[in-house]
Amino acid sequence: MSFAAVLIAGFADGLALAQNFPEISPQSLETVLSIMSSSMLVIAMFAVGAMLSAYASASNSATPRAFPLVVSDYVSQNALSTFIGAFIFSIVGLIAHLNGFYESSGKFVLFVITLCVFAIVVLAFVRWVDRIARLGRLGYTIDKVESATDAALQSWAELPRMGASRLTDSASGSEIGTGRIGYVQNIDLVKLQRLAEQFECRIDICTRPGTFVTPDSPLVRVTNDSGADDCSCTDEIVAAFVIGGERTFESDPRFGLLVMSEIASRALSPAVNDPGTAIDIIGSLVRLLARWSRTRSDNDSEQIEFDRVAMPEIKINDVFDDAFSAIARDGAATVEVAIRLQKAYLALSNLADSTLKDASIENSQLAMRYAEKSLVLEEEADKVRSVARKLVDTGK
């Protein structure tokens, strides 16, 4: 774009209408371009330093697992690219100007383009300063994690098995594993469906995104329509699985809940001692699961798009373990956290969702046992019991 802008300004010298353009002093154009070229690189370096400090603060105050969400902030990336782009434009324009590439009309057009670039830089800087002031804050990180988790939960609510059929406990067939070790980050179900149709077989997926696999872990079980035991598309099936060194938020809703639980656990550590953050996280978890339940009730039946591919479903008890178990353990000695946790279970049990209700009652009893072991005063334990008793009464 910098080269295109410089060339467009040069083409203006050949236009008849350009003869009416005002006369621009060569010194003023050179001064503006020189100031921009000398300042933009400095501002870009300053932006990088501020962003790195914000990233480090976000990782230290929340959890390192939230770093990919913070570093992907598009406002900071856009601002940094704007500063570098303005630097490149000023250098290219200054070189063309000093080498006599323009006449009077071209200088005027280049001056106008320079003012436009300068305005874009100022707007990007103001917007970036507002964002960088919040980028390293714990609240901003929590909002980013909650947003990413909510998107994954909504996808799970709409497609619990990602469009595949239900995997039965009696699934059998030839097991296919992988020689790699890591987390399943994504599964190409379109490719697996195509392979199953091409080789006339049924593919039962043993793992979901977020599962840690080892060389002895089966990825899939393949059952041929003909009854044969061998599978001639092993490499193609393994290639449909993306396996990496860490979990991702996009296809793994449990990971987002686990990250939020880690933030709460860090806030409850003796070094931080911030129960208010843990209480905020509990509220976010209730909000996320309530929205998931509402979306799931609106999509009662999942349309099977891949009829030759089967996938296991996520168990709601595993979801509750990821979301609440660490908070129940680490916050058991803090009465306000224990009470808020019981209120969260009560709120989830009141939703029109039997699975959430059963899981809430079970986890409420576990959290109550943690609290009874950790709370020093019996009066505080009685307060927690009074809230937990309400949940038990609703389950009768």
Side-chain angles (χ1 to χ4, degrees), residues 143-225:
D143 291 341
K144 293 285 287 186
V145 176
E146 181 177 351
S147 178
T149 306
D150 183 57
L153 285 172
Q154 293 304 305
S155 298
W156 173 37
E158 295 173 358
L159 297 172
R161 297 178 299 277
M162 301 172 63
S165 58
R166 188 187 304 274
L167 181 65
T168 61
D169 295 335
S170 60
S172 61
S174 176
E175 293 185 352
I176 296 178
T178 176
R180 291 173 289 176
I181 298 176
Y183 292 97
V184 178
Q185 296 178 340
N186 199 9
I187 304 174
D188 190 349
L189 294 179
V190 176
K191 182 176 182 179
L192 292 178
Q193 175 71 14
R194 188 181 69 250
L195 290 172
E197 293 174 350
Q198 178 181 352
F199 293 93
E200 297 182 349
C201 61
R202 178 179 177 82
I203 300 176
D204 295 327
I205 301 175
C206 304
T207 60
R208 289 187 62 97
T211 304
F212 186 77
V213 295
T214 57
D216 58 341
S217 302
L219 289 179
V220 299
R221 293 186 180 92
V222 180
T223 305
N224 295 310
D225 295 346

Side-chain angles (χ1 to χ4, degrees), residues 303-324:
Q303 183 177 359
I304 298 178
E305 183 179 357
F306 311 106
D307 59 337
R308 284 185 169 267
V309 180
M311 175 177 286
E313 294 189 7
I314 299 177
K315 298 180 180 179
I316 191 63
N317 286 332
D318 294 337
V319 172
F320 268 68
D321 287 341
D322 294 330
F324 297 111

Side-chain angles (χ1 to χ4, degrees), residues 329-355:
R329 180 192 66 238
D330 298 332
T334 307
V335 62
E336 56 266 31
V337 175
I339 292 176
R340 182 56 63 92
L341 193 59
Q342 294 295 337
K343 289 182 177 179
Y345 292 137
L346 180 61
L348 292 174
S349 67
N350 289 331
L351 299 175
D353 192 321
S354 59
T355 57

Side-chain angles (χ1 to χ4, degrees), residues 59-67 138 142 145 183 247 249 254-269 272 277-278 281 285 321-327 329-330:
S59 297
N60 293 330
S61 61
T63 172
R65 258 66 62 190
F67 180 77
L138 179 59
I142 293 175
V145 176
Y183 292 97
R247 299 171 71 173
F249 290 89
R254 291 180 56 187
F255 181 56
L257 297 173
L258 182 63
V259 171
M260 297 196 71
S261 179
E262 286 183 356
I263 297 174
S265 293
R266 175 170 290 196
L268 291 169
S269 64
V272 179
T277 295
I281 291 292
L285 292 172
D321 287 341
D322 294 330
F324 297 111
S325 292
I327 302 176
R329 180 192 66 238
D330 298 332

Side-chain angles (χ1 to χ4, degrees), residues 220-291:
V220 299
R221 293 186 180 92
V222 180
T223 305
N224 295 310
D225 295 346
S226 61
D229 295 333
D230 60 329
C231 179
S232 56
C233 56
T234 300
D235 294 338
E236 292 87 345
I237 290 177
V238 173
F241 289 79
V242 179
I243 299 176
E246 56 187 17
R247 299 171 71 173
T248 59
F249 290 89
E250 289 78 10
S251 303
D252 186 4
R254 291 180 56 187
F255 181 56
L257 297 173
L258 182 63
V259 171
M260 297 196 71
S261 179
E262 286 183 356
I263 297 174
S265 293
R266 175 170 290 196
L268 291 169
S269 64
V272 179
N273 192 21
D274 181 18
T277 295
I279 292 175
D280 290 340
I281 291 292
I282 294 173
S284 298
L285 292 172
V286 173
R287 183 164 53 249
L288 288 170
L289 292 176
R291 290 196 66 222

